[in-house]
Amino acid sequence: MPVLTDPIPNPSAAGLRVDYRHAPLDSLLADPRLLAVFGFGVDAAASHADPRYLHVALPALGSPPHECWLVDGDVQRGRDRGIAWSTGGGLQFCALEVHDDGDIETAAAQAYQRLQAWLAESRHPHVLRIWNYLDAITSGDGDDERYRRFCVGRARGIGREIPAHLLPAATAIGHPQPTGRFQLYWLAAHSAGTPLENPRQTQAWRYPRQYGPQAPGFARAMLPPADAAMPLLLSGTAAVVGHASQHGDSLAAQLDETLANLDSLIAIARTQRPALAAHFGAYSRLKVYVRDATSMQRVDELLRERLPDGTPRIVLQGVVCRRDLAVEIDGVHA
């Protein structure tokens, strides 16, 4: 790993702004404060020489904007040992891919071993947020389901039990079409954030055995370091109350339950950060994952009815990790 100079007087005072921008990719990459930029859908560039760009292979509704992460100060970037990285302002973006030949447990274990080795040498050892994108996430029966094998492989790759107060926020979504790869990217910081749980939901790491041999390892949201000028980082959230899926026969009811869970998380976050807005709005950025492509337009219409005008969102076709769940939402909120 290269030696990185990322000097800031107060390492916890990281700043991150997430924007959705309709602009040519090269013009976005010209900004020296750009930490990362993401393209979605079939029309987005599949790759770029600049390691700050990542294509997420999920079909999108309409012509989605790029998702841009901007920090305070200039950004360094490079590639090392198959990991694309960029760093600046007390934060680091990293991305890697692992070939998946059908054995997602091994692919996840390899990816998370590489992540752990990277963090062990990094000046940004505190992972705030992780995204996982994999093929056929709900294929297989019982404990052979690929999401369950992914959870086993992730735990194997980490190699230790992570205390609850160190768990990152996370998303795990399935590609609707085979890609042959497992994609992992993360946001890390000099200083640790505060994981948050939702009182409406069982902590994921306490899920009962019926959901597989290894419980998922993530927090429902991440409150950034106290002095950081950063938004609340929301994990992938669906219509789960306690540990049980709800409203399997109603897309609209699932969406309402999902929004209720997100409202609950915002309320919990505001007990520590009262300056956060009480509801989604212009300073939120949402990604909406919809299992069925034919439901994407309907979900967007339902959200238009339920969210304040001007709430930015990107609607993607992505397979949620339970077969009875049709929609999931993640994002940031300030």
Side-chain angles (χ1 to χ4, degrees):
M1 181 183 297
V3 176
L4 302 178
T5 58
D6 187 15
I8 50 179
N10 180 0
S12 67
L16 176 71
R17 186 173 78 255
V18 178
D19 282 345
Y20 289 169
R21 296 183 175 180
H22 287 283
L25 178 57
D26 284 338
S27 70
L28 296 171
L29 290 167
D31 190 334
R33 301 164 302 159
L34 184 81
L35 186 71
V37 56
F38 304 88
F40 305 94
V42 296
D43 294 330
S47 62
H48 196 281
D50 193 312
R52 296 174 296 169
Y53 175 71
L54 187 68
H55 180 243
V56 177
L58 299 178
L61 181 66
S63 299
H66 288 97
E67 177 182 345
C68 302
W69 294 359
L70 296 150
V71 297
D72 298 326
D74 291 351
V75 170
Q76 300 176 67
R77 57 194 181 271
R79 299 182 192 272
D80 185 42
R81 291 172 287 177
I83 294 177
W85 61 267
S86 59
T87 184
L91 297 171
Q92 186 173 66
F93 158 73
C94 292
L96 64 86
E97 291 185 357
V98 173
H99 177 67
D100 175 12
D101 61 0
D103 182 359
I104 188 58
E105 179 179 338
T106 297
Q110 291 174 350
Y112 273 84
Q113 284 169 355
R114 291 170 63 186
L115 182 154
Q116 292 299 113
W118 182 273
L119 294 175
E121 300 178 16
S122 177
R123 296 186 60 204
H124 304 79
H126 301 285
V127 178
L128 303 177
R129 188 69 169 82
I130 291 180
W131 288 259
N132 307 269
Y133 295 106
L134 54 147
D135 289 353
I137 193 169
T138 54
S139 295
D141 296 322
D143 286 348
D144 289 330
E145 182 190 66
R146 277 174 55 88
Y147 179 64
R148 297 188 182 196
R149 302 324 306 170
F150 159 76
C151 290
V152 172
R154 173 171 56 185
R156 198 174 90 203
I158 293 171
R160 62 185 177 87
E161 184 175 347
I162 298 180
H165 70 279
L166 296 178
L167 288 171
T171 293
I173 286 289
H175 298 124
Q177 301 296 330
T179 67
R181 60 185 181 175
F182 168 51
Q183 187 176 57
L184 173 69
Y185 68 92
W186 66 92
L187 174 69
H190 281 304
S191 303
T194 302
L196 300 180
E197 293 298 333
N198 185 352
R200 302 182 83 243
Q201 297 180 298
T202 304
Q203 297 96 326
W205 43 275
R206 286 183 169 168
Y207 275 3
R209 176 61 178 81
Q210 72 192 75
Y211 297 102
Q214 175 65 53
F218 68 93
R220 300 291 181 183
M222 178 65 72
L223 201 61
D227 294 334
M230 294 177 59
L232 175 67
L233 306 173
L234 297 162
S235 291
T237 303
V240 174
V241 178
H243 55 73
S245 302
Q246 305 291 316
H247 316 297
D249 59 348
S250 173
L251 177 63
Q254 280 198 26
L255 191 60
D256 287 340
E257 200 74 72
T258 300
L259 293 173
N261 278 328
L262 291 165
D263 283 344
S264 178
L265 278 168
I266 291 171
I268 290 296
R270 291 184 77 243
T271 64
Q272 299 187 50
R273 304 287 169 82
L276 285 171
H279 302 287
F280 287 140
Y283 296 103
S284 309
R285 301 288 184 271
L286 303 179
K287 290 201 293 291
V288 185
Y289 306 97
V290 183
R291 175 182 292 272
D292 187 348
T294 62
S295 299
M296 294 169 71
Q297 185 66 51
R298 177 58 178 156
V299 168
D300 191 52
E301 292 169 356
L302 291 168
L303 287 171
R304 189 176 298 114
E305 296 170 1
R306 286 156 171 76
L307 296 175
D309 290 344
T311 303
R313 60 187 178 273
I314 297 172
V315 178
L316 303 167
Q317 186 189 6
V319 183
V320 186
C321 66
R322 294 187 187 182
R323 298 175 194 180
D324 53 1
L325 293 175
V327 62
E328 180 171 313
I329 298 174
D330 71 17
V332 302
H333 176 67

